[in-house]
Amino acid sequence: MSDTNKTATLTFDGKSFELPMHSPTAGPDVIDIRKLYGEAGVFTYDPGFTSTAACDSTITYIDGGKGELLHRGYPIDQLAEKSHYLEVCYLLLYGELPSAEQLEDFETRVTRHTMIHEQMINFFRGFRRDAHPMAVMVGVVGAMSAFYHDSTDVNDPWQREVASIRLIAKMPTIAAMAYKYTIGQPFVYPRNDCDYASNFLRMCFAVPAEDYEVNPILARAMDRIFTLHADHEQNASTSTVRLASSSGANPFACIAAGIACLWGPAHGGANQACLEMLREIGSPNRIPEYIERAKDKNDPFRLMGFGHRVYKNFDPRAKVMKQSADEVLDLLGIENNPTLQVAKELEAAALADPYFTEKKLFPNVDFYSGIILEAMGFPTSMFTPIFALSRTVGWVSQWKEMIADPAMKIGRPRQLYQGETMRDYVDIENR
Ligand code: SDX
């Protein structure tokens, strides 16, 4: 945090308070209100944290107005085109792009942690077959703290490192097992001769009855989807992980909390909700009806995959995803995909409508991802688990950054109390 000499003056009730300001390397200055309550006896009020910087970080920067997303300074479109997911994981975790030797060592460490403790299989069997895979992931990831005791002490840097590798390595295995369980197929073990994305595709789609060849183009598309979802500053699920971690809870419990938060349709659950919406619309001639519903204040319907708390321009990830959707469908020989057709015409109709342009509502990362995932053979219920496994490196990187900060304190927001003031108990016979 670079300190400026600038201060902000807060004046009320005839009193003035000087608040220090800090300048970032990019983005808006911040007003430091940490001593405000102690000095002025007032809270700030910001439900939803639309104007609040909850921490300082060096990992990811978003410029919502320009539609820019940088991971350790590198633009997401360059990383999506030139890098690959495990290299982006290294970048997010350690701050720099790895040398060839560092990358090989990192990939080997991740590869050797992809299996889960065999006894954890029993957890899957406790769920109904029709359980949502996200319910399974929340439960199984939280249970990891019962199996990996040697990487739960958050005060030990080495245990933090081991927990980070385990979570990144095992999340695809857990997600694939959650999928296999719901379709009644046997679990497929990871293989050390497969890259990260190919391993995940194999664990999801291979069956013991025959050999399975991973299509390298689909593996590349899968890897790109992982990269596009890897981290995203202080979004709701990352903030959940940070708040849970601030109490000193073990990393597996904190990541499970992040998975739970991501599940919501306003957040990571939007990719599933978006595809279901596109299917419900069904054909371009029904688009005007849904556009009007999205604009109607009395209708709770919103365009899933549209809008963003930070981006008031195109989500740069959506641009890459849209290109990838065209490539994957073309590769698979899927012409005239009705869902993609509806998506493209819905996007065009919304972006031609002042309601959306004036409110700066553009497609976000979830608008096109479901079309690719559906074309790859995933059911909609697996869309958010794939988002969760991709985002694990972001949660873990932000967790490590916070835990390593000696100034870290337990998160404890206050409130604007609107309830009853003190009153005496009334015996039941007098009520
Ligand atoms: C993700 O934070 C992150 O970084 C998240 C994420 C990540 O990588 O971690 O990017 C992933 O969660 C992407 C967002 C996925 N969610 C959706 O696609 C669900 C649909 N989108 C909306 O629910 C909404 O846009 C949010 C939740 C994403 C953002 O909501 P905000 O910033 O709180 O905006 P808002 O609800 O205050 O809306 C502002 C206005 C409102 O109208 P007014 O009350 O001002 O008249 O825009 C309207 C809203 O009604 N609006 C929409 C809309 N989104 C906002 N109207 C119709 N359709 C929409 N999608």
Side-chain angles (χ1 to χ4, degrees), residues 24-47:
T25 50
D29 285 353
V30 300
I31 298 173
D32 188 334
I33 58 167
R34 284 176 288 185
K35 294 181 178 172
L36 179 64
Y37 179 56
E39 291 175 0
V42 292
F43 295 147
T44 57
Y45 184 64
D46 186 16

mmCIF file with all atom_site columns, all heavy atoms in Angstrom, residues 24-47:
data_model
loop_
_atom_site.group_PDB
_atom_site.id
_atom_site.type_symbol
_atom_site.label_atom_id
_atom_site.label_alt_id
_atom_site.label_comp_id
_atom_site.label_asym_id
_atom_site.label_entity_id
_atom_site.label_seq_id
_atom_site.pdbx_PDB_ins_code
_atom_site.Cartn_x
_atom_site.Cartn_y
_atom_site.Cartn_z
_atom_site.occupancy
_atom_site.B_iso_or_equiv
_atom_site.pdbx_formal_charge
_atom_site.auth_seq_id
_atom_site.auth_comp_id
_atom_site.auth_asym_id
_atom_site.auth_atom_id
_atom_site.pdbx_PDB_model_num
ATOM 1   N N   . PRO A 1 24 ? -3.288  3.056  -4.633  1.00 0.00 ? 24 PRO A N   1
ATOM 2   C CA  . PRO A 1 24 ? -2.920  1.727  -5.136  1.00 0.00 ? 24 PRO A CA  1
ATOM 3   C C   . PRO A 1 24 ? -1.938  1.840  -6.291  1.00 0.00 ? 24 PRO A C   1
ATOM 4   O O   . PRO A 1 24 ? -1.656  2.965  -6.739  1.00 0.00 ? 24 PRO A O   1
ATOM 5   C CB  . PRO A 1 24 ? -4.256  1.185  -5.625  1.00 0.00 ? 24 PRO A CB  1
ATOM 6   C CG  . PRO A 1 24 ? -4.955  2.411  -6.136  1.00 0.00 ? 24 PRO A CG  1
ATOM 7   C CD  . PRO A 1 24 ? -4.533  3.543  -5.244  1.00 0.00 ? 24 PRO A CD  1
ATOM 8   N N   . THR A 1 25 ? -1.447  0.757  -6.795  1.00 0.00 ? 25 THR A N   1
ATOM 9   C CA  . THR A 1 25 ? -0.652  0.806  -8.034  1.00 0.00 ? 25 THR A CA  1
ATOM 10  C C   . THR A 1 25 ? -1.590  0.950  -9.229  1.00 0.00 ? 25 THR A C   1
ATOM 11  O O   . THR A 1 25 ? -1.187  1.400  -10.294 1.00 0.00 ? 25 THR A O   1
ATOM 12  C CB  . THR A 1 25 ? 0.178   -0.488 -8.204  1.00 0.00 ? 25 THR A CB  1
ATOM 13  O OG1 . THR A 1 25 ? -0.696  -1.611 -8.022  1.00 0.00 ? 25 THR A OG1 1
ATOM 14  C CG2 . THR A 1 25 ? 1.286   -0.550 -7.169  1.00 0.00 ? 25 THR A CG2 1
ATOM 15  N N   . ALA A 1 26 ? -2.861  0.561  -9.042  1.00 0.00 ? 26 ALA A N   1
ATOM 16  C CA  . ALA A 1 26 ? -3.876  0.761  -10.099 1.00 0.00 ? 26 ALA A CA  1
ATOM 17  C C   . ALA A 1 26 ? -5.237  0.822  -9.417  1.00 0.00 ? 26 ALA A C   1
ATOM 18  O O   . ALA A 1 26 ? -5.447  0.155  -8.404  1.00 0.00 ? 26 ALA A O   1
ATOM 19  C CB  . ALA A 1 26 ? -3.853  -0.392 -11.109 1.00 0.00 ? 26 ALA A CB  1
ATOM 20  N N   . GLY A 1 27 ? -6.127  1.644  -9.957  1.00 0.00 ? 27 GLY A N   1
ATOM 21  C CA  . GLY A 1 27 ? -7.474  1.730  -9.385  1.00 0.00 ? 27 GLY A CA  1
ATOM 22  C C   . GLY A 1 27 ? -7.639  2.943  -8.497  1.00 0.00 ? 27 GLY A C   1
ATOM 23  O O   . GLY A 1 27 ? -6.738  3.786  -8.405  1.00 0.00 ? 27 GLY A O   1
ATOM 24  N N   . PRO A 1 28 ? -8.801  3.059  -7.839  1.00 0.00 ? 28 PRO A N   1
ATOM 25  C CA  . PRO A 1 28 ? -9.091  4.257  -7.044  1.00 0.00 ? 28 PRO A CA  1
ATOM 26  C C   . PRO A 1 28 ? -8.312  4.324  -5.735  1.00 0.00 ? 28 PRO A C   1
ATOM 27  O O   . PRO A 1 28 ? -7.942  3.306  -5.164  1.00 0.00 ? 28 PRO A O   1
ATOM 28  C CB  . PRO A 1 28 ? -10.591 4.120  -6.773  1.00 0.00 ? 28 PRO A CB  1
ATOM 29  C CG  . PRO A 1 28 ? -10.885 2.678  -6.895  1.00 0.00 ? 28 PRO A CG  1
ATOM 30  C CD  . PRO A 1 28 ? -9.924  2.109  -7.864  1.00 0.00 ? 28 PRO A CD  1
ATOM 31  N N   . ASP A 1 29 ? -8.074  5.539  -5.249  1.00 0.00 ? 29 ASP A N   1
ATOM 32  C CA  . ASP A 1 29 ? -7.514  5.726  -3.911  1.00 0.00 ? 29 ASP A CA  1
ATOM 33  C C   . ASP A 1 29 ? -8.514  5.203  -2.892  1.00 0.00 ? 29 ASP A C   1
ATOM 34  O O   . ASP A 1 29 ? -9.708  5.044  -3.177  1.00 0.00 ? 29 ASP A O   1
ATOM 35  C CB  . ASP A 1 29 ? -7.276  7.221  -3.642  1.00 0.00 ? 29 ASP A CB  1
ATOM 36  C CG  . ASP A 1 29 ? -6.056  7.749  -4.393  1.00 0.00 ? 29 ASP A CG  1
ATOM 37  O OD1 . ASP A 1 29 ? -5.336  6.922  -5.005  1.00 0.00 ? 29 ASP A OD1 1
ATOM 38  O OD2 . ASP A 1 29 ? -5.841  8.978  -4.379  1.00 0.00 ? 29 ASP A OD2 1
ATOM 39  N N   . VAL A 1 30 ? -8.023  4.943  -1.673  1.00 0.00 ? 30 VAL A N   1
ATOM 40  C CA  . VAL A 1 30 ? -8.933  4.491  -0.621  1.00 0.00 ? 30 VAL A CA  1
ATOM 41  C C   . VAL A 1 30 ? -8.822  5.447  0.557   1.00 0.00 ? 30 VAL A C   1
ATOM 42  O O   . VAL A 1 30 ? -7.756  6.044  0.806   1.00 0.00 ? 30 VAL A O   1
ATOM 43  C CB  . VAL A 1 30 ? -8.615  3.044  -0.162  1.00 0.00 ? 30 VAL A CB  1
ATOM 44  C CG1 . VAL A 1 30 ? -8.739  2.070  -1.325  1.00 0.00 ? 30 VAL A CG1 1
ATOM 45  C CG2 . VAL A 1 30 ? -7.234  2.950  0.502   1.00 0.00 ? 30 VAL A CG2 1
ATOM 46  N N   . ILE A 1 31 ? -9.926  5.595  1.264   1.00 0.00 ? 31 ILE A N   1
ATOM 47  C CA  . ILE A 1 31 ? -9.935  6.374  2.498   1.00 0.00 ? 31 ILE A CA  1
ATOM 48  C C   . ILE A 1 31 ? -9.870  5.385  3.652   1.00 0.00 ? 31 ILE A C   1
ATOM 49  O O   . ILE A 1 31 ? -10.703 4.483  3.753   1.00 0.00 ? 31 ILE A O   1
ATOM 50  C CB  . ILE A 1 31 ? -11.237 7.209  2.612   1.00 0.00 ? 31 ILE A CB  1
ATOM 51  C CG1 . ILE A 1 31 ? -11.326 8.207  1.457   1.00 0.00 ? 31 ILE A CG1 1
ATOM 52  C CG2 . ILE A 1 31 ? -11.284 7.941  3.953   1.00 0.00 ? 31 ILE A CG2 1
ATOM 53  C CD1 . ILE A 1 31 ? -12.659 8.945  1.398   1.00 0.00 ? 31 ILE A CD1 1
ATOM 54  N N   . ASP A 1 32 ? -8.860  5.507  4.473   1.00 0.00 ? 32 ASP A N   1
ATOM 55  C CA  . ASP A 1 32 ? -8.630  4.559  5.575   1.00 0.00 ? 32 ASP A CA  1
ATOM 56  C C   . ASP A 1 32 ? -9.523  4.935  6.763   1.00 0.00 ? 32 ASP A C   1
ATOM 57  O O   . ASP A 1 32 ? -9.291  5.944  7.433   1.00 0.00 ? 32 ASP A O   1
ATOM 58  C CB  . ASP A 1 32 ? -7.145  4.617  5.977   1.00 0.00 ? 32 ASP A CB  1
ATOM 59  C CG  . ASP A 1 32 ? -6.793  3.525  6.968   1.00 0.00 ? 32 ASP A CG  1
ATOM 60  O OD1 . ASP A 1 32 ? -7.718  3.080  7.699   1.00 0.00 ? 32 ASP A OD1 1
ATOM 61  O OD2 . ASP A 1 32 ? -5.618  3.120  7.018   1.00 0.00 ? 32 ASP A OD2 1
ATOM 62  N N   . ILE A 1 33 ? -10.546 4.112  7.022   1.00 0.00 ? 33 ILE A N   1
ATOM 63  C CA  . ILE A 1 33 ? -11.511 4.436  8.086   1.00 0.00 ? 33 ILE A CA  1
ATOM 64  C C   . ILE A 1 33 ? -11.314 3.540  9.307   1.00 0.00 ? 33 ILE A C   1
ATOM 65  O O   . ILE A 1 33 ? -12.179 3.477  10.177  1.00 0.00 ? 33 ILE A O   1
ATOM 66  C CB  . ILE A 1 33 ? -12.955 4.276  7.562   1.00 0.00 ? 33 ILE A CB  1
ATOM 67  C CG1 . ILE A 1 33 ? -13.191 2.861  7.057   1.00 0.00 ? 33 ILE A CG1 1
ATOM 68  C CG2 . ILE A 1 33 ? -13.260 5.312  6.491   1.00 0.00 ? 33 ILE A CG2 1
ATOM 69  C CD1 . ILE A 1 33 ? -14.667 2.544  6.818   1.00 0.00 ? 33 ILE A CD1 1
ATOM 70  N N   . ARG A 1 34 ? -10.159 2.882  9.401   1.00 0.00 ? 34 ARG A N   1
ATOM 71  C CA  . ARG A 1 34 ? -9.984  1.919  10.494  1.00 0.00 ? 34 ARG A CA  1
ATOM 72  C C   . ARG A 1 34 ? -10.133 2.565  11.873  1.00 0.00 ? 34 ARG A C   1
ATOM 73  O O   . ARG A 1 34 ? -10.564 1.907  12.819  1.00 0.00 ? 34 ARG A O   1
ATOM 74  C CB  . ARG A 1 34 ? -8.617  1.243  10.356  1.00 0.00 ? 34 ARG A CB  1
ATOM 75  C CG  . ARG A 1 34 ? -8.588  0.182  9.262   1.00 0.00 ? 34 ARG A CG  1
ATOM 76  C CD  . ARG A 1 34 ? -7.205  -0.403 9.070   1.00 0.00 ? 34 ARG A CD  1
ATOM 77  N NE  . ARG A 1 34 ? -6.312  0.565  8.413   1.00 0.00 ? 34 ARG A NE  1
ATOM 78  C CZ  . ARG A 1 34 ? -5.074  0.247  8.039   1.00 0.00 ? 34 ARG A CZ  1
ATOM 79  N NH1 . ARG A 1 34 ? -4.598  -0.981 8.261   1.00 0.00 ? 34 ARG A NH1 1
ATOM 80  N NH2 . ARG A 1 34 ? -4.305  1.126  7.436   1.00 0.00 ? 34 ARG A NH2 1
ATOM 81  N N   . LYS A 1 35 ? -9.770  3.857  11.995  1.00 0.00 ? 35 LYS A N   1
ATOM 82  C CA  . LYS A 1 35 ? -9.869  4.500  13.319  1.00 0.00 ? 35 LYS A CA  1
ATOM 83  C C   . LYS A 1 35 ? -11.111 5.363  13.454  1.00 0.00 ? 35 LYS A C   1
ATOM 84  O O   . LYS A 1 35 ? -11.297 6.065  14.458  1.00 0.00 ? 35 LYS A O   1
ATOM 85  C CB  . LYS A 1 35 ? -8.613  5.345  13.553  1.00 0.00 ? 35 LYS A CB  1
ATOM 86  C CG  . LYS A 1 35 ? -7.341  4.486  13.674  1.00 0.00 ? 35 LYS A CG  1
ATOM 87  C CD  . LYS A 1 35 ? -6.111  5.328  13.940  1.00 0.00 ? 35 LYS A CD  1
ATOM 88  C CE  . LYS A 1 35 ? -4.873  4.426  14.091  1.00 0.00 ? 35 LYS A CE  1
ATOM 89  N NZ  . LYS A 1 35 ? -3.621  5.236  14.166  1.00 0.00 ? 35 LYS A NZ  1
ATOM 90  N N   . LEU A 1 36 ? -11.977 5.329  12.433  1.00 0.00 ? 36 LEU A N   1
ATOM 91  C CA  . LEU A 1 36 ? -13.125 6.240  12.416  1.00 0.00 ? 36 LEU A CA  1
ATOM 92  C C   . LEU A 1 36 ? -14.015 6.041  13.635  1.00 0.00 ? 36 LEU A C   1
ATOM 93  O O   . LEU A 1 36 ? -14.357 6.985  14.347  1.00 0.00 ? 36 LEU A O   1
ATOM 94  C CB  . LEU A 1 36 ? -13.952 6.030  11.138  1.00 0.00 ? 36 LEU A CB  1
ATOM 95  C CG  . LEU A 1 36 ? -15.206 6.895  11.006  1.00 0.00 ? 36 LEU A CG  1
ATOM 96  C CD1 . LEU A 1 36 ? -14.820 8.366  10.913  1.00 0.00 ? 36 LEU A CD1 1
ATOM 97  C CD2 . LEU A 1 36 ? -16.025 6.483  9.780   1.00 0.00 ? 36 LEU A CD2 1
ATOM 98  N N   . TYR A 1 37 ? -14.398 4.789  13.932  1.00 0.00 ? 37 TYR A N   1
ATOM 99  C CA  . TYR A 1 37 ? -15.324 4.576  15.045  1.00 0.00 ? 37 TYR A CA  1
ATOM 100 C C   . TYR A 1 37 ? -14.691 4.997  16.370  1.00 0.00 ? 37 TYR A C   1
ATOM 101 O O   . TYR A 1 37 ? -15.313 5.664  17.189  1.00 0.00 ? 37 TYR A O   1
ATOM 102 C CB  . TYR A 1 37 ? -15.735 3.101  15.107  1.00 0.00 ? 37 TYR A CB  1
ATOM 103 C CG  . TYR A 1 37 ? -16.667 2.781  16.247  1.00 0.00 ? 37 TYR A CG  1
ATOM 104 C CD1 . TYR A 1 37 ? -17.869 3.450  16.403  1.00 0.00 ? 37 TYR A CD1 1
ATOM 105 C CD2 . TYR A 1 37 ? -16.336 1.819  17.208  1.00 0.00 ? 37 TYR A CD2 1
ATOM 106 C CE1 . TYR A 1 37 ? -18.722 3.182  17.461  1.00 0.00 ? 37 TYR A CE1 1
ATOM 107 C CE2 . TYR A 1 37 ? -17.180 1.541  18.269  1.00 0.00 ? 37 TYR A CE2 1
ATOM 108 C CZ  . TYR A 1 37 ? -18.366 2.223  18.391  1.00 0.00 ? 37 TYR A CZ  1
ATOM 109 O OH  . TYR A 1 37 ? -19.212 1.953  19.440  1.00 0.00 ? 37 TYR A OH  1
ATOM 110 N N   . GLY A 1 38 ? -13.393 4.673  16.517  1.00 0.00 ? 38 GLY A N   1
ATOM 111 C CA  . GLY A 1 38 ? -12.723 5.028  17.767  1.00 0.00 ? 38 GLY A CA  1
ATOM 112 C C   . GLY A 1 38 ? -12.620 6.530  17.954  1.00 0.00 ? 38 GLY A C   1
ATOM 113 O O   . GLY A 1 38 ? -12.756 7.035  19.057  1.00 0.00 ? 38 GLY A O   1
ATOM 114 N N   . GLU A 1 39 ? -12.391 7.260  16.849  1.00 0.00 ? 39 GLU A N   1
ATOM 115 C CA  . GLU A 1 39 ? -12.205 8.713  16.955  1.00 0.00 ? 39 GLU A CA  1
ATOM 116 C C   . GLU A 1 39 ? -13.515 9.491  16.831  1.00 0.00 ? 39 GLU A C   1
ATOM 117 O O   . GLU A 1 39 ? -13.702 10.507 17.481  1.00 0.00 ? 39 GLU A O   1
ATOM 118 C CB  . GLU A 1 39 ? -11.223 9.182  15.868  1.00 0.00 ? 39 GLU A CB  1
ATOM 119 C CG  . GLU A 1 39 ? -9.805  8.685  16.122  1.00 0.00 ? 39 GLU A CG  1
ATOM 120 C CD  . GLU A 1 39 ? -8.861  9.066  14.974  1.00 0.00 ? 39 GLU A CD  1
ATOM 121 O OE1 . GLU A 1 39 ? -9.320  9.716  14.003  1.00 0.00 ? 39 GLU A OE1 1
ATOM 122 O OE2 . GLU A 1 39 ? -7.664  8.705  15.057  1.00 0.00 ? 39 GLU A OE2 1
ATOM 123 N N   . ALA A 1 40 ? -14.427 9.007  15.954  1.00 0.00 ? 40 ALA A N   1
ATOM 124 C CA  . ALA A 1 40 ? -15.623 9.815  15.679  1.00 0.00 ? 40 ALA A CA  1
ATOM 125 C C   . ALA A 1 40 ? -16.900 9.183  16.201  1.00 0.00 ? 40 ALA A C   1
ATOM 126 O O   . ALA A 1 40 ? -17.963 9.795  16.173  1.00 0.00 ? 40 ALA A O   1
ATOM 127 C CB  . ALA A 1 40 ? -15.756 10.035 14.162  1.00 0.00 ? 40 ALA A CB  1
ATOM 128 N N   . GLY A 1 41 ? -16.812 7.895  16.638  1.00 0.00 ? 41 GLY A N   1
ATOM 129 C CA  . GLY A 1 41 ? -18.003 7.263  17.219  1.00 0.00 ? 41 GLY A CA  1
ATOM 130 C C   . GLY A 1 41 ? -19.082 6.959  16.202  1.00 0.00 ? 41 GLY A C   1
ATOM 131 O O   . GLY A 1 41 ? -20.253 6.836  16.558  1.00 0.00 ? 41 GLY A O   1
ATOM 132 N N   . VAL A 1 42 ? -18.702 6.860  14.923  1.00 0.00 ? 42 VAL A N   1
ATOM 133 C CA  . VAL A 1 42 ? -19.698 6.503  13.886  1.00 0.00 ? 42 VAL A CA  1
ATOM 134 C C   . VAL A 1 42 ? -19.169 5.335  13.053  1.00 0.00 ? 42 VAL A C   1
ATOM 135 O O   . VAL A 1 42 ? -17.967 5.104  12.981  1.00 0.00 ? 42 VAL A O   1
ATOM 136 C CB  . VAL A 1 42 ? -19.989 7.706  12.941  1.00 0.00 ? 42 VAL A CB  1
ATOM 137 C CG1 . VAL A 1 42 ? -20.709 8.817  13.681  1.00 0.00 ? 42 VAL A CG1 1
ATOM 138 C CG2 . VAL A 1 42 ? -18.710 8.203  12.281  1.00 0.00 ? 42 VAL A CG2 1
ATOM 139 N N   . PHE A 1 43 ? -20.089 4.581  12.455  1.00 0.00 ? 43 PHE A N   1
ATOM 140 C CA  . PHE A 1 43 ? -19.749 3.522  11.496  1.00 0.00 ? 43 PHE A CA  1
ATOM 141 C C   . PHE A 1 43 ? -19.938 4.089  10.098  1.00 0.00 ? 43 PHE A C   1
ATOM 142 O O   . PHE A 1 43 ? -20.655 5.071  9.910   1.00 0.00 ? 43 PHE A O   1
ATOM 143 C CB  . PHE A 1 43 ? -20.702 2.321  11.646  1.00 0.00 ? 43 PHE A CB  1
ATOM 144 C CG  . PHE A 1 43 ? -20.629 1.583  12.956  1.00 0.00 ? 43 PHE A CG  1
ATOM 145 C CD1 . PHE A 1 43 ? -21.782 1.007  13.500  1.00 0.00 ? 43 PHE A CD1 1
ATOM 146 C CD2 . PHE A 1 43 ? -19.437 1.435  13.651  1.00 0.00 ? 43 PHE A CD2 1
ATOM 147 C CE1 . PHE A 1 43 ? -21.739 0.300  14.701  1.00 0.00 ? 43 PHE A CE1 1
ATOM 148 C CE2 . PHE A 1 43 ? -19.378 0.733  14.849  1.00 0.00 ? 43 PHE A CE2 1
ATOM 149 C CZ  . PHE A 1 43 ? -20.540 0.167  15.369  1.00 0.00 ? 43 PHE A CZ  1
ATOM 150 N N   . THR A 1 44 ? -19.322 3.441  9.108   1.00 0.00 ? 44 THR A N   1
ATOM 151 C CA  . THR A 1 44 ? -19.714 3.698  7.712   1.00 0.00 ? 44 THR A CA  1
ATOM 152 C C   . THR A 1 44 ? -20.788 2.662  7.392   1.00 0.00 ? 44 THR A C   1
ATOM 153 O O   . THR A 1 44 ? -20.940 1.673  8.114   1.00 0.00 ? 44 THR A O   1
ATOM 154 C CB  . THR A 1 44 ? -18.526 3.521  6.740   1.00 0.00 ? 44 THR A CB  1
ATOM 155 O OG1 . THR A 1 44 ? -18.011 2.201  6.910   1.00 0.00 ? 44 THR A OG1 1
ATOM 156 C CG2 . THR A 1 44 ? -17.470 4.571  7.013   1.00 0.00 ? 44 THR A CG2 1
ATOM 157 N N   . TYR A 1 45 ? -21.536 2.891  6.335   1.00 0.00 ? 45 TYR A N   1
ATOM 158 C CA  . TYR A 1 45 ? -22.668 2.021  6.001   1.00 0.00 ? 45 TYR A CA  1
ATOM 159 C C   . TYR A 1 45 ? -22.555 1.634  4.538   1.00 0.00 ? 45 TYR A C   1
ATOM 160 O O   . TYR A 1 45 ? -22.606 2.516  3.674   1.00 0.00 ? 45 TYR A O   1
ATOM 161 C CB  . TYR A 1 45 ? -23.965 2.785  6.265   1.00 0.00 ? 45 TYR A CB  1
ATOM 162 C CG  . TYR A 1 45 ? -25.230 1.995  6.048   1.00 0.00 ? 45 TYR A CG  1
ATOM 163 C CD1 . TYR A 1 45 ? -25.513 0.890  6.825   1.00 0.00 ? 45 TYR A CD1 1
ATOM 164 C CD2 . TYR A 1 45 ? -26.143 2.372  5.056   1.00 0.00 ? 45 TYR A CD2 1
ATOM 165 C CE1 . TYR A 1 45 ? -26.690 0.160  6.638   1.00 0.00 ? 45 TYR A CE1 1
ATOM 166 C CE2 . TYR A 1 45 ? -27.304 1.654  4.861   1.00 0.00 ? 45 TYR A CE2 1
ATOM 167 C CZ  . TYR A 1 45 ? -27.582 0.546  5.655   1.00 0.00 ? 45 TYR A CZ  1
ATOM 168 O OH  . TYR A 1 45 ? -28.738 -0.170 5.465   1.00 0.00 ? 45 TYR A OH  1
ATOM 169 N N   . ASP A 1 46 ? -22.360 0.331  4.248   1.00 0.00 ? 46 ASP A N   1
ATOM 170 C CA  . ASP A 1 46 ? -22.133 -0.076 2.858   1.00 0.00 ? 46 ASP A CA  1
ATOM 171 C C   . ASP A 1 46 ? -22.563 -1.518 2.621   1.00 0.00 ? 46 ASP A C   1
ATOM 172 O O   . ASP A 1 46 ? -21.730 -2.384 2.321   1.00 0.00 ? 46 ASP A O   1
ATOM 173 C CB  . ASP A 1 46 ? -20.646 0.095  2.498   1.00 0.00 ? 46 ASP A CB  1
ATOM 174 C CG  . ASP A 1 46 ? -20.394 -0.174 1.021   1.00 0.00 ? 46 ASP A CG  1
ATOM 175 O OD1 . ASP A 1 46 ? -21.388 -0.181 0.253   1.00 0.00 ? 46 ASP A OD1 1
ATOM 176 O OD2 . ASP A 1 46 ? -19.234 -0.417 0.636   1.00 0.00 ? 46 ASP A OD2 1
ATOM 177 N N   . PRO A 1 47 ? -23.917 -1.806 2.778   1.00 0.00 ? 47 PRO A N   1
ATOM 178 C CA  . PRO A 1 47 ? -24.377 -3.174 2.537   1.00 0.00 ? 47 PRO A CA  1
ATOM 179 C C   . PRO A 1 47 ? -23.986 -3.609 1.116   1.00 0.00 ? 47 PRO A C   1
ATOM 180 O O   . PRO A 1 47 ? -24.092 -2.829 0.189   1.00 0.00 ? 47 PRO A O   1
ATOM 181 C CB  . PRO A 1 47 ? -25.911 -3.056 2.643   1.00 0.00 ? 47 PRO A CB  1
ATOM 182 C CG  . PRO A 1 47 ? -26.156 -1.797 3.409   1.00 0.00 ? 47 PRO A CG  1
ATOM 183 C CD  . PRO A 1 47 ? -25.025 -0.883 3.071   1.00 0.00 ? 47 PRO A CD  1
#
